[in-house]
Amino acid sequence: MVYNIALVKGDGIGPEIVSSAVKVLEKVGAKYGHEFKCTDYLAGGCAIDATGMPLPEETVEGCKASDSVLLGAVGGPKWDKLPGDKRPEKALLGLRKALGLYTNLRPAKLYPALKEECPLRADIVEQGFDLMMVRELTGGIYFGDRGRRDGKYGPEAYDTEAYSVMEIERIARAAFDAARKRRKNVISIDKANVLETSRLWRETVHRIGEEYPDVQLSDMLVDNAAMQLVRRPSQFDVVVTSNMFGDILSDEASQITGSIGLLPSASLGATKCGLYEPIHGSAPDIAGQDRANPIATILSAAMMLRYAFDLSEEADCIERAVDEVLAAGLRTADIVGNSGATPLSCTEMTEEILKRI
Ligand code: NAD
């Protein structure tokens, strides 16, 4: 098979880490008989320098026409003083909107080799965890009606949470589909004891759940979920929740891994053309020094294989290679911690992963 991938390397360490991921894709392609045809597009600060705009039309069109998008990171101090709509970060929002991406998938996994970095208690760490946050990305309170007005006690502000059945149905399906590629368990997070949107959320998720009899579904209130994530994270497989709850809980989940520099993410929409990117930024402080950790981007490429192209075996192969380098004690500078390991460069870490594919 031939797959067309749009590469948006972006700024800072973006070009280094995306190039590492491309090498990994090429090796996997050679092993399994696929061709990954990659085309570069500009977005972020580099696009501002070249065209005056953070997200040129050519990039939008190129990404839309491709099977999937692999993004490094955008932004840096050089462009920090530009006004809001001219800033590099505008490219990310623009791309998400243009591709109609409404689902954010963020895995949070504890690597046994890095358990020293986990901030949780030793007995909880021993149980391990490997969960997937599925966050609704384009609805809810972040997009609802808001404003200021004169209230009963003087000036007040308000924000509105609204969810349509359609929006809940499609995010629920994304969660159940993700669960089918994992341990077939979904926990839906809401605040149905208080919020009407949550009651509609719960009702709708359960109705969609009937289409997935092989996936186990349960509910949890968001305040309890925030507790359970640090108390017994091993109970979670797929977690599905609204935009704001997901924003907060996905950061909590990434923190408890102790290694946020390793975490990938995917944003998916109605089509299979999703956006795959590490959760970290462009790390301008180490850009161009061959010191970046390429693992989050390499794992984002693995997510692309699994979710965009249904290539689970190939994705497993990349994830296993990453597990093996970490288990072998190999570290880039950001994850050396107290291990005493000699830090590898971005190039060396990539080579070690390639050797294991
Ligand atoms: P950051 O994630 O870029 O960096 C935070 C710290 O983590 C830095 O010390 C950096 O060196 C380190 N780090 C991050 N990724 C690393 C990697 N792969 N390997 C080794 N070390 C790594 O966050 P920041 O400093 O707050 O932001 C820097 C720039 O990135 C800003 O312009 C910000 O707007 C942008 N940003 C972009 C995205 C994105 O493109 N999705 C996300 C977050 C921040």
Side-chain angles (χ1 to χ4, degrees), residues 13 17 71-76 80 89 92 261 277 279-286 291-293 334:
I13 60 171
I17 55 182
L71 186 135
V74 298
D80 272 352
E89 292 79 3
L92 291 179
E277 58 179 324
I279 70 164
H280 61 69
S282 60
D285 52 332
I286 56 164
R291 285 170 60 201
N293 186 345
D334 56 307

Side-chain angles (χ1 to χ4, degrees), residues 47-81:
I48 295 172
D49 289 349
T51 71
M53 290 177 296
L55 184 63
E57 196 49 37
E58 191 193 339
T59 299
V60 174
E61 292 311 316
C63 290
K64 274 184 170 171
S66 67
D67 297 317
S68 210
V69 183
L70 183 64
L71 186 135
V74 298
K78 183 176 175 193
W79 305 281
D80 272 352
K81 294 210 165 58

Side-chain angles (χ1 to χ4, degrees), residues 23-343:
K23 284 188 193 140
V24 168
L25 284 172
E26 283 167 357
K27 184 90 188 265
V28 169
K31 177 169 172 166
Y32 290 91
H34 310 297
E35 190 187 343
F36 299 109
K37 273 174 116 171
C38 297
T39 312
D40 282 292
Y41 293 97
L42 293 177
C46 58
I48 295 172
D49 289 349
T51 71
M53 290 177 296
L55 184 63
E57 196 49 37
E58 191 193 339
T59 299
V60 174
E61 292 311 316
C63 290
K64 274 184 170 171
S66 67
D67 297 317
S68 210
V69 183
L70 183 64
L71 186 135
V74 298
K78 183 176 175 193
W79 305 281
D80 272 352
K81 294 210 165 58
L82 292 172
D85 62 337
K86 300 247 162 43
R87 287 175 61 97
E89 292 79 3
K90 196 77 190 159
L92 291 179
L93 298 175
L95 212 44
R96 283 182 192 140
K97 193 163 173 220
L99 296 173
L101 306 173
Y102 56 80
T103 302
N104 187 235
L105 299 183
R106 267 218 216 174
K109 166 176 164 175
L110 182 68
Y111 285 93
L114 294 176
K115 62 184 184 192
E116 300 297 316
E117 308 302 318
C118 176
L120 300 180
R121 228 173 44 212
D123 59 313
I124 302 170
V125 171
E126 270 327 301
Q127 292 168 14
F129 60 88
D130 177 357
L131 62 92
M132 172 75 80
M133 280 277 168
V134 180
R135 168 189 169 194
E136 202 286 327
L137 213 49
T138 55
I141 197 163
Y142 293 173
F143 291 88
D145 185 30
R146 69 175 60 101
R148 304 268 175 122
R149 61 190 172 199
D150 283 330
K152 200 168 155 194
Y153 306 105
E156 64 178 24
Y158 64 95
D159 299 276
T160 320
E161 167 105 342
Y163 266 112
S164 67
V165 170
M166 181 278 288
E167 288 171 305
I168 306 169
E169 281 178 352
R170 65 187 187 180
I171 191 76
R173 286 206 172 86
F176 288 114
D177 288 341
R180 277 189 169 161
K181 293 179 193 288
R182 296 175 48 95
R183 302 192 301 278
K184 297 192 172 60
N185 186 299
V186 171
I187 298 185
S188 173
I189 312 285
D190 61 37
K191 188 73 182 168
N193 53 345
V194 179
L195 301 175
E196 194 55 33
T197 40
S198 281
R199 289 193 268 270
L200 181 68
W201 179 280
R202 194 175 279 209
E203 201 178 294
T204 309
V205 170
H206 278 265
R207 181 165 46 73
I208 298 301
E210 287 167 14
E211 297 170 20
Y212 296 81
D214 52 322
V215 179
Q216 203 186 340
L217 169 66
S218 55
D219 306 292
M220 193 179 278
L221 294 174
V222 63
D223 38 352
N224 186 24
M227 270 191 319
Q228 295 299 331
L229 267 175
V230 289
R231 212 173 146 254
R232 202 163 61 83
S234 60
Q235 70 190 287
F236 296 104
D237 176 18
V238 171
V239 173
V240 63
T241 192
S242 64
N243 201 345
M244 184 168 68
F245 294 162
D247 189 8
I248 299 165
L249 293 177
S250 61
D251 269 16
E252 186 186 358
S254 54
Q255 276 297 324
I256 60 170
T257 65
S259 51
I260 52 173
L262 302 185
L263 299 182
S265 78
S267 300
L268 311 178
T271 68
K272 280 211 159 182
C273 181
L275 178 72
Y276 297 80
E277 58 179 324
I279 70 164
H280 61 69
S282 60
D285 52 332
I286 56 164
Q289 299 172 25
D290 199 20
R291 285 170 60 201
N293 186 345
I295 291 179
T297 316
I298 289 171
L299 291 175
S300 301
M303 282 188 87
M304 172 189 290
L305 299 186
R306 188 182 307 282
Y307 291 97
F309 307 149
D310 261 327
L311 299 175
S312 294
E313 201 180 319
E314 291 81 344
D316 286 344
C317 172
I318 297 177
E319 287 164 1
R320 217 172 22 244
V322 168
D323 286 347
E324 283 174 22
V325 290
L326 295 175
L330 301 171
R331 305 280 186 269
T332 42
D334 56 307
I335 50 169
V336 158
N338 297 323
S339 68
T342 308

